[in-house]
Amino acid sequence: MKVLVVVGARPNFMKAAPILKAIRAFNSAHEWSEPMEPILVHTGQHYDAQMSDAFFADLEMPQPDVFLGAGSGSHAEQTAEIMKRFERVLLEQKPQALLVVGDVNSTLACALAAAKLPPRLKPLIAHVEAGLRSFDRAMPEEINRILTDQISDVLFVTEESGLRHLQTEGIPRAKIHFVGNTMIDTLRACETRADLSTVLPRLGVTKREYALLTLHRAANVDDRDSFVEILSGLRDLAATQRVIFPAHPRTQKQIRDLGLESFFAPAQGGGIAMVAPQPYLDFLCLMKNARLVITDSGGIQEETTALGVPCVTVRDNTERPVTIELGSNVLAGTRCETIRQGIRLQLASRLKNAMPPLWDGRAAGRIIAVLANHLLPLVPVHLEDAAGQMQENAR
């Protein structure tokens, strides 16, 4: 039984890695005549050989079975190119199931290519991280989420807001499964190794005496006025402690093109220290030991919540409302003064050790148990029993 698992951008790796392990563990735990055969497809939506290799090593992922090499381009060009290339893979492989994760262009493109196949060739389409909504349709990711959910056969939800959103949108309840968060599966599996990272002394920082910054959304880094407003909101923080900023190559290019180099200090200096993008284990170590994280990333809002690290999100909305409800994260907007207020609030906060339901490191096991019940309906698998058993086997 072939199960295509699609990744396209850096956040997808953390979501897919535990699923691949769970499939292998499931096969080891059950004597099926036709075991699940995971086929990892990398669309190449975001691809840097050095960073990609480091991530696959850190996450103990196998190298992709298929690399599409779709590359960059406008949203329309990229989505169309991935669809063209992925359709050929579907016709060659004839999988029983397709598993897409997250909300990037690869997610929608691959789901859409599968949904348009003739019924005899169409695989079961499963969406991991379904139901998240920012209600901001200016975000390309929001369009990807909504459309992928509408054409998927099985929807795996990470937090309770996803259940409400999908049912409001008319998705039948039988298609929806609340399983937890595979990003947190990866975090828990990698924490011990991340503790061995040497990134803190390498960057000249000590635990709880620095802040961590990530910025990548086009709305924040493509417009000079918006970018300056955000950086100005960080000045008070940068005056009191170092702010480590692992900057994506595209963000670095924007900083140069917009003439914003004066906001940044050398990597070993004070202020906002811009450094190269970090491999997963090093970044996890930086995040876990930061006094504060400032970000516009959805996944980092979740990871800081799991780690109990205060987070300030420089956006006007979030598709991860559970992080706000628990107090681990605040929405600071994108204006200088509101960002300062958000930082002051989180620096003074005393976080509770609260964890969203089912963020327990067993989400991938639940996902594979559900898939097994769809692909092997005559051999029912109990979700929690299978998740626990697979977690033990994965160790």
Side-chain angles (χ1 to χ4, degrees):
M1 293 183 297
K2 292 182 179 179
V3 178
L4 295 191
V5 180
V6 173
V7 295
R10 177 169 167 162
N12 295 164
F13 300 163
M14 287 88 84
K15 297 164 189 173
I19 293 169
L20 296 170
K21 290 180 182 177
I23 293 175
R24 294 195 296 270
F26 183 88
N27 288 337
S28 297
H30 299 84
E31 295 295 332
W32 305 123
S33 58
E34 292 185 63
M36 293 188 198
E37 179 189 353
I39 298 172
L40 181 61
V41 179
H42 190 331
T43 67
Q45 175 179 330
H46 294 163
Y47 185 71
D48 174 271
Q50 183 177 354
M51 285 303 296
S52 187
D53 289 347
F55 258 65
F56 275 78
D58 282 354
L59 300 176
E60 299 178 330
M61 287 179 72
Q63 288 299 308
D65 300 289
V66 180
F67 181 70
L68 299 182
S72 59
S74 72
H75 285 285
E77 290 170 334
Q78 190 176 69
T79 302
E81 190 62 36
I82 293 169
M83 287 184 68
K84 283 167 52 182
R85 297 184 185 209
F86 187 64
E87 184 182 50
R88 291 195 289 269
V89 175
L90 289 166
L91 295 175
E92 290 168 5
Q93 296 289 346
K94 298 181 175 60
Q96 280 68 49
L98 166 66
L99 202 150
V100 294
V101 300
D103 54 19
V104 298
N105 287 341
S106 297
T107 308
L108 174 60
C110 292
L112 195 53
K116 285 181 168 287
L117 289 177
R120 62 186 177 82
L121 296 175
K122 179 183 171 297
L124 181 83
I125 303 171
H127 183 204
V128 175
E129 203 179 75
L132 297 181
R133 298 290 182 267
S134 68
F135 300 101
D136 178 2
R137 294 205 178 190
M139 292 176 62
E141 297 91 340
E142 183 76 353
I143 304 301
N144 292 341
R145 293 179 200 118
I146 293 169
L147 297 181
T148 301
D149 286 343
Q150 288 294 323
I151 59 178
S152 293
D153 303 300
V154 183
L155 298 108
F156 294 115
V157 172
T158 60
E159 62 170 89
E160 290 172 334
S161 69
L163 295 173
R164 299 192 296 271
H165 298 151
L166 292 174
Q167 290 181 275
T168 299
E169 292 169 12
I171 304 290
R173 183 62 180 86
K175 288 186 173 185
I176 307 168
H177 302 271
F178 182 23
V179 294
N181 193 330
T182 61
M183 285 271 287
I184 308 308
D185 289 13
T186 294
L187 185 151
R188 295 302 180 212
C190 293
E191 257 189 293
T192 301
R193 286 189 295 138
D195 289 340
L196 302 176
S197 168
T198 61
V199 68
L200 299 189
R202 203 179 334 130
L203 295 179
V205 294
T206 55
K207 293 180 179 181
R208 302 288 179 262
E209 293 187 3
Y210 65 93
L212 180 64
L213 169 68
T214 80
L215 293 171
H216 75 283
R217 292 193 178 275
N220 285 342
V221 302
D222 284 6
D223 179 78
R224 191 179 194 280
D225 290 343
S226 298
F227 208 162
V228 167
E229 193 77 14
I230 292 169
L231 294 173
S232 298
L234 300 172
R235 273 188 170 139
D236 289 350
L237 177 67
T240 61
Q241 60 195 278
R242 289 189 69 198
V243 179
I244 301 296
F245 179 31
H248 188 278
R250 182 179 180 280
T251 304
Q252 293 185 34
K253 180 179 184 300
Q254 289 301 109
I255 289 167
R256 292 192 299 271
D257 291 350
L258 298 174
L260 301 178
E261 294 95 331
S262 62
F263 281 93
F264 302 94
Q268 294 296 328
I272 303 176
M274 184 163 55
V275 301
Q278 299 297 302
Y280 178 72
L281 293 178
D282 288 344
F283 187 80
L284 176 53
C285 181
L286 281 170
M287 188 163 45
K288 181 177 180 179
N289 292 295
R291 185 181 178 194
L292 179 73
V293 175
I294 305 100
T295 190
D296 58 7
S297 160
I300 290 175
Q301 295 172 53
E302 295 177 327
E303 290 172 318
T304 50
T305 294
L307 292 168
V309 176
C311 181
V312 175
T313 297
V314 285
R315 286 169 49 188
D316 294 317
N317 52 60
T318 181
E319 62 286 342
R320 273 86 171 179
V322 71
T323 66
I324 305 294
E325 293 161 9
L326 293 176
S328 58
N329 180 31
V330 297
L331 279 178
T334 56
R335 307 300 296 174
C336 173
E337 187 50 42
T338 59
I339 292 169
R340 286 174 178 164
Q341 290 171 4
I343 290 171
R344 286 195 294 268
L345 176 66
Q346 288 299 74
L347 286 175
S349 69
R350 294 291 180 267
L351 295 187
K352 304 172 186 174
N353 290 324
M355 191 68 63
L358 300 187
W359 288 23
D360 56 3
R362 298 168 52 160
R366 296 185 187 98
I367 287 169
I368 299 310
V370 171
L371 278 185
N373 283 331
H374 279 276
L375 298 175
L376 298 160
L378 300 180
V379 189
V381 179
H382 187 272
L383 256 62
E384 291 304 324
D385 289 348
Q389 187 176 27
M390 280 183 264
Q391 188 180 43
E392 289 300 317
N393 289 350
R395 292 194 182 115

